[in-house]
Amino acid sequence: MRTEEATDIAKAAGATEPAEECRLAGLGVSPGIAIGPAYLVEGGDLPVHEIHIPESEIEAERARFGEAVEVSLKQLRKLKAKTSGLPPSAAEEIGYLLDAHVAMLSNSRLVRGAGERIGRQRLNAERAVELEIDEIARSFAAMRDPYLSARGEDVRVVGTRLIRNLIKKPYAAYSGVPQGSVIVADELTPADTALMDPQRIAGFAAQFGGADSHTAIVARAIGIPAVLAVPHLFEHARAGAIVIVDGGEGTVVIDPTAETVAHYESRRDTLTRERRYLNRLRRLPAVTRDGVEITLEANIELPIELDQATANGAMGLGLVRSEFLYMNREDLPGEEEQYAVFSALVRGMEGKPVTVRTFDLGGDKLAHSLADHYIQSDNPALGLRAIRLSLQDRRLLDPQLAAMLRAAAEGPLRIMLPMITHAGEIRRVREAMEQVARRLRRRGVALPKTLPPLGAMIEVPGAALAADALAAESDFFSIGTNDLIQYTLAIDRSDEQVAHLYNPLHPAILRLIQFTVEAALRRGMPVSVCGEMAGEPRYTALLLGLGLRNLSMAPRSIPRVKQRVRSLDIVAATRRARAIMDQSDTGRIAALVDDFNAVALPG
Ligand code: PEP
Ligand code: MG
């Protein structure tokens, strides 16, 4: 919507003269920019009074409560029927959620607890529900894991639905919202969000909600710009006032000046153009001008990023950093939990390969639950990290291997080992994998006929130099340039004081990459790069010129790297890589890389 249009709508909605611009910061949970008149969604606490009822009315009160449960269930089923029109990922997400809400209304702690309170405390049903929600919410809030505490929110959402039905105060529908409005609410339920029509509603901002909440997930899935957790939102927002929501930056501007509107309009236009262009690219193959196909895969940390990987056209998952399952919690994730995550990834990728890495914990990635397993050393990057820790305690390695083997029965899964330094480490993991497989088969667990490929990450200089010996024990290699650079150049990757020395174009790094690629190709073994270098279009021609045909990167980097792949000629890139490998001066190497990119890039 243009400024004038937005202002006209604001006037029509009865807005008074614009007040001073007010900028509020929140959590940007769904990227994009929305500009439009505010549509305030009535919120605040529901008017729940505490009424003590006589013994004789307990049964009638319980019956009234039972009816509200029935009405709520009916509403949820109706909502579920309506979700069939949503994009598949949103329909799936909201479908799970509504099923969970239905389960929370079926003989759950919430329903049983509230029913008991009515009798025990002789309370009216709405107050009984309110007290029960508070108690459940407290126990969820005590959980440190943000995902689990967000599930506590779900109980509150279901409880609120029950209370609304008890006090006969139904939810507002969005069908009457003027075209192009920005919804401003104190809180939005995921179900409400799923029913927002992106053609009608430009975006939304809410005072409450977290980045892991289902509301956030659904907003991303349907592609509505959204900012949550905006303090004091309601103190500043008025119905009809122009509001800007920047869901990438996490900013809400109320009553923006004409200059601010013009700034965000131009950013929105740039984003729209970029999105259109990258969307077109998503459907195109990653093939060079001279017809060589390149595999571009995604690195992910959390299962929730799977959507992003597929949305950006990933041809597989080249690196699943399983250590993130161990972080921000007090206990260790068991075999079942890991199996559920890995198999969901395998199913979600629909036949495309999924490379799961055994955990890379230690160094700068710590897990409370492993505190007993090692003594914090003065030099953790050189200490008991990654595969060293896994091999030190089979109680850590075996459940991961079991979960991976079971998930491999459902689709192509590869197992990758971080920080490999010695061939013996790969041999020991292979033996462990075979033992775990025998144990699982004895238990009657379905496993693939041939065990999954076992690959080594090449991220320690010694591993690159011994690539031939490691190749003899491996089924594939993946080069972790982040650590390879750290260990080769002796630069702590997280220390900003030496960041300027962290240079992927140092001749030592290029030689180690070349050495590794050649060792793999001599054996006809797959080799990829999964460090940050793979996601940087500046290095694409050089990496392909060195013989790589598989690159794995953050999902959002895929379209730009694909664009680079499609613009270059592999024969020319190979020739240029050869010229680069003859150089020993970093400045000269950089010049040869940039000069080739400038010539080969269109425009
Ligand atoms: C790497 O080191 O390049 C890599 C991909 O692993 P991580 O960044 O997880 O250490
Ligand atoms: Mg690494």
Side-chain angles (χ1 to χ4, degrees):
M1 187 184 307
R2 316 301 310 179
T3 326
E4 315 84 65
E5 263 178 74
T7 317
D8 286 348
I9 292 179
K11 279 190 190 138
T16 48
E17 273 307 294
E20 218 169 283
E21 176 174 300
C22 164
R23 218 169 246 273
L24 300 169
L27 276 177
V29 297
S30 177
I33 291 171
I35 307 174
Y39 182 92
L40 302 195
V41 174
E42 189 204 341
D45 288 337
L46 291 168
V48 172
H49 303 290
E50 184 165 308
I51 301 169
H52 286 272
I53 51 171
E55 178 100 44
S56 57
E57 281 178 25
I58 289 177
E59 274 324 298
E61 193 59 11
R62 279 199 173 130
R64 193 169 76 85
F65 175 57
E67 251 167 55
V69 172
E70 279 313 309
V71 173
S72 304
L73 282 168
K74 232 184 254 164
Q75 289 169 343
L76 289 172
R77 291 193 186 111
K78 220 159 135 189
L79 275 173
K80 185 149 185 211
K82 281 197 194 168
T83 56
S84 55
L86 293 173
S89 61
E92 192 180 338
E93 180 64 36
I94 196 71
Y96 284 138
L97 179 68
L98 292 174
D99 288 345
H101 285 194
V102 166
M104 285 179 213
L105 287 172
S106 324
N107 194 28
S108 60
R109 174 171 164 195
L110 173 64
V111 172
R112 267 183 287 117
E116 274 163 28
R117 272 178 204 274
I118 294 174
R120 191 165 23 96
Q121 295 178 254
R122 294 208 194 146
L123 279 179
N124 54 325
E126 36 279 59
R127 179 67 179 142
V129 173
E130 195 177 59
L131 289 174
E132 196 58 34
I133 301 172
D134 284 350
E135 196 175 302
I136 298 175
R138 269 198 301 279
S139 48
F140 269 102
M143 300 181 190
R144 291 245 186 100
D145 182 85
Y147 187 81
L148 284 181
S149 42
R151 301 296 72 79
E153 273 301 299
D154 293 340
V155 178
R156 230 161 48 72
V157 169
V158 173
T160 306
R161 177 176 295 283
L162 265 175
I163 295 177
R164 279 187 179 274
N165 286 322
L166 281 162
I167 60 178
K168 308 243 178 288
K169 208 164 183 282
Y171 282 100
Y174 293 113
S175 46
V177 174
Q179 182 82 21
S181 297
V182 172
I183 304 280
V184 175
D186 62 344
E187 185 163 21
L188 283 165
T189 70
D192 289 339
T193 312
L195 295 180
M196 282 184 191
D197 174 3
Q199 305 301 331
R200 172 170 290 278
I201 291 167
F204 69 83
Q207 202 150 315
F208 299 103
D212 272 337
S213 67
H214 275 112
T215 300
I217 296 168
V218 173
R220 284 192 286 274
I222 55 177
I224 288 191
V227 179
L228 300 181
V230 189
H232 311 298
L233 180 62
F234 258 76
E235 285 159 37
H236 299 280
R238 299 179 329 279
I242 296 298
V243 175
I244 298 173
V245 166
D246 182 338
E249 207 179 67
T251 307
V252 175
V253 190
I254 301 169
D255 296 312
T257 61
E259 214 174 294
T260 307
V261 173
H263 164 76
Y264 277 98
E265 272 178 352
S266 110
R267 278 200 48 195
R268 183 183 57 184
D269 293 347
T270 313
L271 284 177
T272 312
R273 268 199 309 278
E274 257 181 37
R275 198 171 316 128
R276 262 197 221 121
Y277 176 64
L278 295 178
N279 260 343
R280 271 206 307 276
L281 263 183
R282 185 165 66 98
R283 287 187 288 274
L284 298 176
V287 57
T288 61
R289 286 217 309 244
D290 47 350
V292 178
E293 276 182 42
I294 308 300
T295 304
L296 302 182
E297 297 185 314
N299 295 350
I300 68 167
E301 277 84 48
L302 299 167
I304 202 171
E305 290 169 281
L306 181 71
D307 266 2
Q308 276 198 42
T310 50
N312 283 293
M315 294 158 78
L317 299 181
L319 167 62
V320 176
R321 290 181 162 103
S322 72
E323 57 270 21
F324 281 82
L325 292 171
Y326 290 71
M327 294 181 186
N328 299 318
R329 58 191 284 169
E330 298 299 324
D331 58 340
L332 287 168
E335 176 187 324
E336 281 312 312
E337 182 181 338
Q338 300 204 45
Y339 162 68
V341 171
F342 302 152
S343 66
L345 293 178
V346 168
R347 282 196 307 274
M349 287 309 289
E350 298 176 335
K352 298 188 189 88
V354 172
T355 307
V356 186
R357 174 171 84 177
T358 57
F359 67 62
D360 179 5
L361 289 163
D364 61 340
K365 291 185 255 187
L366 300 174
H368 297 302
S369 52
L370 291 180
D372 292 345
H373 285 77
Y374 55 92
I375 308 157
Q376 198 43 266
S377 71
D378 290 342
N379 216 337
L382 303 182
L384 191 56
R385 182 186 158 184
I387 198 64
R388 301 169 182 183
L389 181 54
S390 300
L391 278 170
Q392 186 196 251
D393 189 344
R394 290 279 299 273
R395 285 170 308 173
L396 297 174
L397 178 64
D398 287 10
Q400 279 221 296
L401 291 176
M404 292 176 193
L405 289 174
R406 287 169 61 192
E410 295 170 42
L413 181 144
R414 310 193 307 169
I415 300 178
M416 185 151 86
L417 310 175
M419 288 276 292
I420 288 290
T421 324
H422 302 280
E425 289 162 335
I426 310 169
R427 270 197 301 275
R428 284 174 63 199
V429 176
R430 200 179 291 281
E431 279 161 23
M433 176 169 82
E434 282 161 3
Q435 272 174 17
V436 171
R438 280 196 294 278
R439 213 168 49 229
L440 288 171
R441 288 204 174 100
R442 275 199 301 274
R443 265 170 44 196
V445 176
L447 293 188
K449 270 200 205 78
T450 43
L451 293 183
L454 190 63
M457 279 198 72
I458 303 297
E459 49 185 348
V460 174
L465 292 169
D468 270 323
L470 298 183
E473 300 291 339
S474 312
D475 299 316
F476 65 94
F477 278 164
S478 189
I479 306 173
T481 49
N482 308 340
D483 278 314
L484 191 60
I485 297 169
Q486 148 159 294
Y487 291 121
T488 307
L489 304 183
I491 292 161
D492 180 345
R493 48 194 273 204
S494 55
D495 184 344
E496 68 284 354
Q497 303 173 87
V498 285
H500 62 288
L501 297 171
Y502 189 92
N503 185 358
L505 294 180
H506 190 292
I509 304 300
L510 301 186
R511 284 176 193 158
L512 291 173
I513 294 176
Q514 183 186 41
F515 213 76
T516 307
V517 173
E518 286 174 357
L521 296 183
R522 270 197 296 277
R523 296 187 74 91
M525 192 177 87
V527 54
S528 63
V529 172
C530 66
E532 292 302 301
M533 220 179 150
E536 187 48 72
R538 183 185 183 204
Y539 306 125
T540 309
L542 174 57
L543 293 175
L544 301 193
L546 288 174
L548 284 146
R549 297 293 178 263
N550 182 316
L551 303 173
S552 189
M553 62 204 77
R556 64 175 187 287
S557 302
I558 294 176
R560 278 183 218 295
V561 171
K562 188 190 278 186
Q563 181 187 11
R564 184 71 191 105
V565 166
R566 291 176 60 83
S567 73
L568 60 83
D569 196 294
I570 211 96
V571 175
T574 309
R575 213 177 302 125
R576 178 54 61 112
R578 254 186 239 131
I580 289 171
M581 295 313 290
D582 285 340
Q583 305 299 318
S584 52
D585 176 72
T586 311
R588 176 86 188 121
I589 291 174
L592 284 172
V593 166
D594 294 335
D595 164 66
F596 183 78
N597 286 338
V599 173
L601 275 174

